[in-house]
Amino acid sequence: MTKELSDSSDQEADPLNDDELNDDELNDDSIDTVLIRTETRTAIEVVRMIGSGKFIMAPDSERQPEGVWDIGKQSKLIESVLMRIPLPVFYLAENQKGQKIVVDGLQRLSTFRDFLDNQLQLKLPHQKSLNNKKFEEIPPKLQNRIEDCNLVLYIIDSKLPERDKLNIFERVNSGASLTRQEMRNRLYTGQATCWLKEEASTKEFADAIGKSLTPKEMREMKDRKLVNRFCAFTLVGVSEYEKDIDFFLAKSLQKMNGMKKVDLDDLSRRFRLGLQNNYTLFRSAFRKPSDDPQSTNPINTALWDVMTTGLAKIPHNVVVEKNSDFDKSFIGLLKNKDFSDAITKNIHSIVHVKRRFELADGMFKEVFGDYAN
């Protein structure tokens, strides 16, 4: 069977741009709650904390939120400190382990670390006493001024609701605008985010999505967002979905960061089986049929959710054997108005999420019997 599944023109069903679906306002409870605490640390204290792993400085990302600083900009920062010019505050988010993830100020903290570790040689042609000097080469008086520089840290509490945490992240980040998935990648750095990256780079994934994502979309981690959705609906479950997709996706990453390797390996096996089965049945999967036979519609998130999780349960040889039966049942499912609405309109509502999974599960059981349980 060779069919295509896709979004309608309904903007709400666009899987690659559904960050706009999130309300960027803090909720009423948050306004009256202490969301951020303030700490003041010296530069040398912070550098030591970075070295001991208490700060997370380099999450796996294709983009640096502030842009990578060149040596000239780094040197200007050190010069500003020596001139006693006040620095902007730093924003960090605390994770469940008590580690502090740098939200805003990554390049500034990296500069302090590199200079105090003698990895940065200043380029300040107008300052002859400092030009081409490393930290160990400047006078002790100036070394003390760098080490004792007070850095004001605003720390986002780990208990803050996920949506509020992401909204604060958006408000304070001073560099490139990050997608919600890129923010999650920073806030939940660990084996979970490494797992998403690995699974999004497999041949099975590329085949199943038809290599349809642009380089820009890949940099924005929209491939990993799809993988994250599979994990959420598999590990957290449809019954636990409560409308807030940000919280739902974050909850799965938190869970994965605490899983054993053997369990992550099993999750990988199931995910790749689901992709393989979708590719076998559709070739161009996760898309509704296009009116124009010469064009291919974009991936539909809602179909991705039900089809990856549903077919991850079925042995591949059974999928091959039941191909024809599945074809008929799937066409009938697409014609079902309830299902069509649930995959194209308000796709993150509780009613539509649960309804599309209910109808899809019924189809899987009809075709594959006990294998679909």
Side-chain angles (χ1 to χ4, degrees):
M1 157 174 151
T2 307
K3 327 188 231 312
E4 298 178 348
L5 314 173
S6 123
D7 271 337
S8 72
S9 59
D10 190 327
Q11 187 66 27
E12 288 186 289
D14 185 350
L16 301 181
N17 296 292
D18 62 7
D19 288 343
E20 300 89 51
L21 299 178
N22 297 287
D23 184 359
D24 66 357
E25 298 301 322
L26 301 178
N27 62 48
D28 290 340
D29 292 335
S30 301
I31 291 174
D32 293 325
T33 304
V34 177
L35 304 176
I36 300 177
R37 70 178 187 272
T38 305
E39 292 183 7
T40 300
R41 302 271 186 176
T42 64
I44 189 63
E45 282 183 295
V46 170
V47 168
R48 286 172 181 159
M49 293 173 76
I50 292 171
S52 66
K54 293 179 181 177
F55 279 39
I56 296 179
M57 294 287 291
D60 171 40
S61 177
E62 300 297 326
R63 299 193 295 165
Q64 294 290 355
E66 299 172 47
V68 177
W69 281 13
D70 60 26
I71 193 169
K73 202 164 186 178
Q74 291 177 309
S75 298
K76 285 288 187 182
L77 174 68
I78 299 301
E79 182 185 35
S80 296
V81 174
L82 292 173
M83 295 171 65
R84 296 191 175 91
I85 297 174
L87 299 180
V89 299
F90 298 79
Y91 282 87
L92 303 99
E94 196 168 51
N95 65 19
Q96 298 296 325
K97 297 179 181 179
Q99 295 170 304
K100 296 173 178 62
I101 302 148
V102 181
V103 173
D104 189 71
L106 178 62
Q107 297 305 320
R108 286 175 284 150
L109 291 183
S110 297
T111 298
F112 278 111
R113 177 197 60 196
D114 293 348
F115 188 59
L116 290 173
D117 288 347
N118 292 299
Q119 300 299 311
L120 170 62
Q121 188 175 40
L122 298 176
K123 296 298 180 185
L124 296 168
H126 58 288
Q127 297 278 10
K128 293 183 180 179
S129 62
L130 298 174
N131 192 37
N132 295 321
K133 298 291 180 63
K134 295 182 179 179
F135 176 75
E136 62 187 4
E137 297 171 331
I138 65 176
K141 177 182 177 181
L142 299 184
Q143 290 180 351
N144 292 338
R145 195 173 296 175
I146 297 293
E147 290 181 333
D148 295 340
C149 172
N150 283 325
L151 307 181
V152 179
L153 313 177
Y154 284 4
I155 302 172
I156 302 169
D157 195 283
S158 63
K159 298 182 180 64
L160 192 68
E162 301 311 317
R163 171 164 294 188
D164 290 344
K165 195 179 296 181
L166 292 172
N167 285 332
I168 290 174
F169 198 123
E170 285 182 324
R171 289 165 183 252
V172 304
N173 188 260
S174 62
S177 177
L178 302 182
T179 66
R180 294 268 166 150
Q181 190 63 37
E182 288 177 289
M183 295 179 204
R184 279 188 287 273
N185 192 69
R186 292 182 63 80
L187 292 171
Y188 302 99
T189 295
Q191 65 177 6
T193 53
C194 291
W195 193 95
L196 296 188
K197 180 182 180 182
E198 181 177 349
E199 295 303 318
S201 66
T202 64
K203 182 178 185 299
E204 290 91 340
F205 182 82
D207 287 343
I209 68 168
K211 302 176 183 178
S212 58
L213 299 183
T214 67
K216 178 177 182 292
E217 289 168 339
M218 300 285 276
R219 287 194 300 273
E220 293 174 350
M221 298 188 178
K222 292 181 178 178
D223 52 344
R224 298 185 211 184
K225 179 165 69 174
L226 290 172
V227 182
N228 197 165
R229 294 181 74 100
F230 168 84
C231 297
F233 284 109
T234 299
L235 297 175
V236 183
V238 181
S239 62
E240 297 297 314
Y241 182 76
E242 297 178 349
K243 187 177 180 180
D244 190 336
I245 190 67
D246 288 326
F247 174 77
F248 192 60
L249 296 180
K251 192 172 181 179
S252 70
L253 296 179
Q254 289 176 317
K255 185 168 185 175
M256 292 169 71
N257 275 333
M259 287 171 62
K260 296 179 180 178
K261 183 179 184 302
V262 64
D263 295 322
L264 286 174
D265 289 344
D266 181 63
L267 182 65
S268 175
R269 178 194 61 77
R270 284 184 283 164
F271 180 53
R272 296 185 191 191
L273 174 61
L275 294 176
Q276 181 187 24
N277 285 340
N278 273 280
Y279 183 65
T280 296
L281 291 169
F282 299 106
R283 287 297 184 269
S284 184
F286 320 118
R287 311 165 196 267
K288 286 175 63 180
S290 171
D291 293 333
D292 181 358
Q294 303 301 316
S295 68
T296 301
N297 283 326
I299 294 170
N300 176 294
T301 297
L303 278 174
W304 165 273
D305 294 341
V306 297
M307 297 305 293
T308 52
T309 56
L311 289 174
K313 305 173 186 177
I314 316 300
H316 185 62
N317 65 303
V318 175
V319 167
V320 173
E321 177 186 342
K322 297 286 188 177
N323 191 323
S324 179
D325 294 337
F326 180 86
D327 189 5
K328 296 174 185 176
S329 292
F330 184 74
I331 290 173
L333 182 66
L334 289 180
K335 292 180 179 179
N336 183 308
K337 186 178 186 303
D338 282 354
F339 185 78
S340 179
D341 287 347
I343 64 173
T344 55
K345 300 176 181 178
N346 198 11
I347 64 171
H348 290 125
S349 72
I350 297 175
V351 171
H352 280 178
V353 168
K354 295 190 174 183
R355 185 56 174 156
R356 65 175 172 261
F357 270 93
E358 176 188 358
L359 292 170
D361 286 347
M363 177 201 66
F364 288 129
K365 288 174 181 177
E366 175 187 314
V367 177
F368 300 114
D370 291 342
Y371 288 109
N373 292 324

